[in-house]
Amino acid sequence: MNNNFTFEGKQKSILLSGIGLGIVCMVLTFFMGDHGAVRFWSNFLHNSVFFTGIAYTALFVIAAFTTAYAGWFIVIKRIWEAISLFLVVGLVLMMVIAVGLWMGYHDLYHWGIHGVADVNSETYDALIAGKSAFLNKGWYTFGTLAIVGSWIFFAQKLRSLSVAEDDYTVGDYGIHKKIKVWTAVFLPIGAFTSSAIIWLWVMSVDSHWYSTLYAWYATASWWVSCLCLTILIILYLKSKNYLQGVTVEHMHDLGKLTFAFSIFWTYLWFSQFMLIWYSNVGEETIYFRERMDNYPVLFWGNLALNFILPFFILMRNDTKRKMGSLAIAALVVLFGHWIDFFLMLKPGILHTQHYLPGNHGEAHHDAGGHEGAGHGAEHVSDAVAGFTMPGLLEIGTFIGFLCLFLFVVYTHISKASLLPKNDPYVEESLHHHS
Amino acid sequence: MSAVVSKIREPLVTGSKTYHQITEDLVGPTEKTPSVEWIIGFIIALSCLGFGVFSIAWTIWFGIGSWDLNRTIGWGWDITNFVWWVGIGHAGTLISAILLLFRQKWRTGVNRAAEAMTIFAVICAALFPGIHVGRAWVVFFFFPYPNTRGPLWVNFNSPLLWDLFAISTYFTVSLLFWYTGLVPDFATVRDRAKGIRKKLYDVLAFGWTGSAKHWQRWESLSLILAGLATPLVLSVHTIVSFDFATSVIPGWHTTIFPPYFVAGAIFSGFAMVLTLMIITRKILNLQDYITIAHIESMNKVILLTGSMVGVAYLTELFVAWYSGYVYEQFAFYNRALGPYWWSYFGMMTCNVITPQFFWSKKIRRNLNWTFALSIVVNIGMWFERFVIIATTLARDYLPSSWSYYVPTWVEVGIYIGTIGIFFTFYLLFTRIAPVVAIAEIKSILKAGGNQYVGENATHHKEHAH
């Protein structure tokens, strides 16, 4: 059994060219000329949030499974460890957004507009002023640094303990006991901080709007994406003759988790939508009104990709045990949740452009005018690539980020054995029957 | 069965049991005359039940005015108790269905009793909607059927009606699931019984012979019911939460309610399972089947769900401030510092703070602590429902309608009555059925018995890989 993955030059060049494609697309997007480079910055935020969150959920699930005495996942644990280490890159990406906020490079957040909390300012907004103790540049920067920084600390701690366990031959499971303590400590920290970070990064693009369920909903979206990426990475590694200890039983379980958590995501989607729709409070329904009117294909497509397709593809026993159907489901759902984050972010960001000085309501229907396509796109019924739907440049940017993500993950995978051979549950995992 | 089990897993069955000993230990309690403790407990439970019946009769005879509800506070102890009982009824199906799907072997020690509790708790819960409408003799109006009352149908748009469907479905599936598990065990009891007892258990066992075909069908039915029951665990309390969250009342209308109600329900359900199992295992000598490891696992579930509920409370508080909506902000200010501050304080202490003691392994494995904290959790979860219902309603939009509510003896009597119903049924259950699922314990013996796994295993595996 070959447990040491070699990250070959050929694989590196493929991924590097993918990253190159992403950079080209981002440069093109930047110079396409929409005012304020809204399209560029929103794509940057969208992909950074998406992949950083996936890394976070990988860390969280290692902690949760370890605390719950799970044995089956040990043979794939190293994949999740590698994914969790992408948090370092994620922090850098999110700091770019934070720096942009300070320097005024972008107007992604309504609350970030200069003077929004100043009663004498042209851009004053009473509601946002009330939230400015939380929604401000300092807290955004500090919160991101402190929270993602603490996640990185735990990710590296757990990784180094896990790798050290490979050479630990004492047989008293001393390192495993340490891992259990660190994972238990991380669980409440991770659970509380992820909510705060989602409010800051994602929910606050619709600065007036709020929903208590939102953070759990976004976390579920990240976690399902993480499962899909895990399935795809494992299938790739298996095709290269690695991970022979990962059998169809483990894939079946990952398929079951994808199936179950797709339904769980839908449950949260439905709960949030139904309660807001039923109560019909204008301040709340505006969130869905905006998306249903201006993003109808994505809005309903979101449900098709993330619920209907995985539900029907993965319901049967055999489709979870056949790698073709499992891979298709994973690809569909991964893309589906990327769309989900597109829908969480873009409409709010575009709407914010109205509030910029000089962009007041009068110019609403002036699509393509001096405010740029982003501003106008919100109000035309046609789909506008990059604004009301992902265009080719968005797909290219996504591929770029995905390749960066995979590059980082494969680099970490290659640095340690694929099998945590001294984990107390490794034999259980190797003989796993679902 | 050649399960590979890690050395650091604790055994799930101790005392180096043989299959025969398991049968003896678990069928035994149904074959002996009841102990003095059981008789005293039964008399107390039956008295409470009797007082409950009296209070319900009082309510029906004198009318709902014998409760202290008023125009501002239209829901009080009745709906608080309803939600509390439904919540308690969640652990059984969670343990039997979700933990079955997740292959958690420790479920076998407690699933039977937890499922029984589910049934009894749902019965207690279902009582309240029936009597709180005031005219108990027309409760059949709840059900949508073509009737002679003209075009008078139930309101399909109302979450209260969805509740009726959700709870009756849940009750049906839980009952089937429980009974399916009981069939092979009733057959075991039957095979040892004589005379009239044998005839009765023969009826209960549906002619089970233990043939391969029977087991095969039993296995598939269990899996199908588990598949059906899993979404039901989530749906029931979700729909109970819709009773509140679909409204436009600040404090009720919040999107986190569905998952947070489910977490709270599992939280209180496990607490009740612990309260009962700690007593049951002692009185029936089940320490080898419900081990300290089982109790520790359940305490971890309590710590997890208690913390989830804590995250939800803080989310609500934060978002109330964040919303910038004065009524929302007032609703939460009023919860914490209004006239019912004591119930909010009780809720926070009992549900969020005290379960944090379970971070300590010593406390998780200590029976006295566990017993005390499980009761604290149940008190806390009762407070939670009271906070949501009474505290919110007490402060209407119009200050002239503001009110305060204390229950009358009738309302308290009905609550005591439901506790009586619950314990009467539970005590009868311990006499009639094996409290621990015999067939399921036997199925995990080789993967969980202390002679096979753990540090002191004597039967070492021959096959090495």
Side-chain angles (χ1 to χ4, degrees), chain B residues 74-259:
Chain B
W75 281 352
W77 272 44
D78 50 351
I79 302 300
T80 302
N81 294 334
F82 160 73
V83 181
W84 189 69
W85 278 118
V86 176
I88 288 171
H90 270 65
T93 309
L94 180 104
I95 290 173
S96 40
I98 296 184
L99 298 188
L100 174 70
L101 296 181
F102 276 109
R103 311 285 184 246
Q104 294 293 307
K105 294 195 181 85
W106 62 272
R107 61 181 273 286
T108 51
V110 290
N111 69 330
R112 167 70 47 76
E115 286 167 41
M117 280 175 42
T118 291
I119 315 273
F120 308 147
V122 174
I123 291 173
C124 292
L127 194 69
F128 287 99
I131 51 173
H132 98 297
V133 291
R135 293 172 188 162
W137 52 92
V138 290
V139 284
F140 61 88
F141 283 18
F142 283 1
F143 296 93
Y145 65 96
N147 56 60
T148 53
R149 301 189 294 274
L152 191 61
W153 281 86
V154 290
N155 182 5
F156 286 104
N157 291 337
S158 164
L160 299 178
L161 181 72
W162 311 340
D163 232 358
L164 180 85
F165 298 139
I167 291 176
S168 43
T169 312
Y170 183 66
F171 182 76
T172 312
V173 173
S174 300
L175 188 66
L176 285 174
F177 205 168
W178 182 55
Y179 202 84
T180 306
L182 274 168
V183 167
D185 285 6
F186 278 147
T188 309
V189 182
R190 172 200 64 195
D191 295 343
R192 295 158 54 94
K194 289 190 182 76
I196 181 84
R197 219 169 152 260
K198 191 177 186 80
K199 288 217 171 77
L200 284 174
Y201 277 101
D202 195 32
V203 173
L204 289 174
F206 285 170
W208 177 273
T209 61
S211 71
K213 202 70 204 167
H214 280 180
W215 281 113
Q216 196 188 24
R217 287 182 178 140
W218 185 85
E219 292 269 349
S220 358
L221 181 62
S222 300
L223 211 58
I224 290 170
L225 286 173
L228 283 175
T230 302
L232 281 174
V233 175
L234 278 102
S235 81
V236 175
H237 233 55
T238 294
I239 290 172
V240 172
S241 84
F242 285 176
D243 292 346
F244 304 98
T246 49
S247 70
V248 287
I249 296 174
W252 283 10
H253 176 60
T254 173
T255 50
I256 208 168
F257 258 28

Side-chain angles (χ1 to χ4, degrees), chain B residues 3 20 55-56 90 102 120 222 278 300 328 350 359 388 450:
Chain B
H20 178 65
S55 304
I56 292 171
H90 270 65
F102 276 109
F120 308 147
S222 300
I278 287 175
K300 282 182 181 169
E328 193 77 29
C350 300
W359 281 103
I388 292 171
N450 69 327

Side-chain angles (χ1 to χ4, degrees), chain A residues 162-330:
Chain A
S162 173
V163 173
E165 199 177 35
D166 285 352
D167 304 319
Y168 188 78
T169 47
V170 182
D172 64 352
Y173 305 120
I175 291 194
H176 180 73
K177 285 172 191 159
K178 276 188 198 160
I179 292 177
K180 285 198 77 161
V181 172
W182 284 104
T183 52
V185 171
F186 174 69
L187 283 176
I189 295 176
F192 276 101
T193 52
S194 63
S195 290
I197 214 80
I198 288 164
W199 297 329
L200 266 183
W201 290 353
V202 191
M203 192 168 88
S204 78
V205 297
D206 287 277
S207 300
H208 289 166
W209 185 83
Y210 58 89
S211 163
T212 41
L213 184 56
Y214 196 85
W216 293 7
Y217 166 77
T219 311
S221 200
W222 276 340
W223 165 226
V224 180
S225 320
C226 178
L227 277 169
C228 295
L229 266 172
T230 310
I231 289 173
L232 294 170
I233 291 172
I234 291 174
L235 289 181
Y236 175 74
L237 291 177
K238 279 185 77 69
S239 76
K240 298 282 166 199
N241 275 329
Y242 297 105
L243 288 178
Q244 279 159 5
V246 180
T247 65
V248 67
E249 304 291 337
H250 301 92
M251 300 316 289
H252 188 184
D253 275 357
L254 286 169
K256 285 191 242 180
L257 284 172
T258 310
F259 176 75
F261 279 94
S262 290
I263 296 174
F264 182 72
W265 172 88
T266 314
Y267 162 68
L268 296 179
W269 185 94
F270 176 76
S271 296
Q272 182 166 270
F273 178 79
M274 206 287 283
L275 289 176
I276 288 175
W277 169 81
Y278 194 106
S279 303
N280 204 16
V281 177
E283 286 85 349
E284 296 177 1
T285 50
I286 183 70
Y287 183 82
F288 291 111
R289 181 83 272 152
E290 172 76 26
R291 283 156 180 79
M292 288 163 83
D293 287 350
N294 297 317
Y295 303 79
V297 177
L298 292 188
F299 184 77
W300 300 111
N302 191 16
L303 279 182
L305 292 173
N306 293 325
F307 174 57
I308 297 171
L309 284 172
F311 183 79
F312 285 107
I313 297 177
L314 294 176
M315 182 150 55
R316 288 176 58 97
N317 209 35
D318 58 353
T319 48
K320 292 188 282 276
R321 298 176 77 89
K322 285 178 188 158
M323 295 312 118
S325 44
L326 190 62
I328 289 170

Side-chain angles (χ1 to χ4, degrees), chain B residues 86 95 99 121 156 206 273 279 297 309 311 318 346 385 396 452 458:
Chain B
V86 176
I95 290 173
L99 298 188
F156 286 104
F206 285 170
V273 172
I279 304 175
S297 293
V309 168
V311 173
F318 174 79
R385 278 59 176 257
D396 209 329
Y452 300 100
T458 46

Side-chain angles (χ1 to χ4, degrees), chain A residues 81-122:
Chain A
E81 283 171 8
I83 292 179
S84 74
L85 291 169
F86 181 79
L87 280 172
V88 180
V89 183
L91 179 61
V92 173
L93 294 172
M94 290 312 298
M95 284 329 282
V96 173
I97 300 281
V99 168
L101 202 56
W102 285 99
M103 306 300 285
Y105 292 155
H106 60 73
D107 297 303
L108 292 173
Y109 297 100
H110 184 182
W111 53 264
I113 296 173
H114 183 70
V116 75
D118 175 7
V119 76
N120 298 316
S121 158
E122 184 203 3

